[in-house]
Amino acid sequence: MHTASRSLQVPGVTVDPVDVTGAGDTFGSSFIHGLSRTGDLELVARFANAAAARSVTVMGPQGGVASTEEVMAFMAEHHLLTPREFGCFATGDRGVTDSERPEAGHGPADENAS
């Protein structure tokens, strides 16, 4: 993923796929949902990757539909979250900002938004 100020690489999540129908839609909608919870693009991409990965483990396009809590449980199972990151999705607050992340100094996730 690229912004005006940096590039991010977010690894995929390895699963045993059952049906890939709807994985792209799941990624896209989960990415938008993630942006409504936090401006941390890395966390949003990790959330969307996890939601899409989880969705392909179930048969049918609607079989993979999951709540935020189900995606978060999947992420916890796969060690994709820290407890602090979990909070921005679970409580609905704005979550962790880039300056609060270990890789501080990269600036806001989307500097062109303001």
Side-chain angles (χ1 to χ4, degrees):
M1 177 173 21
H2 302 280
T3 70
S5 61
R6 69 182 195 174
S7 294
L8 298 170
Q9 286 191 350
V10 179
V13 181
T14 303
V15 295
D16 292 322
V18 173
D19 183 0
V20 299
T21 307
D25 292 335
T26 299
F27 178 89
S29 61
S30 298
F31 195 90
I32 297 295
H33 174 69
L35 285 176
S36 76
R37 298 297 183 106
T38 180
D40 182 335
L41 290 181
E42 182 180 356
L43 181 59
V44 168
R46 288 171 40 208
F47 178 81
N49 276 352
R54 186 201 167 283
S55 77
V56 303
T57 65
V58 186
M59 180 58 74
Q62 293 186 354
V65 174
S67 67
T68 298
E69 291 75 19
E70 289 170 311
V71 175
M72 299 308 294
F74 177 87
M75 293 181 81
E77 259 177 56
H78 290 84
H79 309 288
L80 301 173
L81 285 178
T82 67
R84 181 169 170 106
E85 290 170 327
F86 179 86
C88 74
F89 287 95
T91 64
D93 66 17
R94 292 295 295 166
V96 179
T97 66
D98 276 351
S99 63
E100 295 171 319
R101 293 185 62 75
E103 62 272 12
H106 291 289
D110 187 1
E111 294 175 356
N112 294 327
S114 43

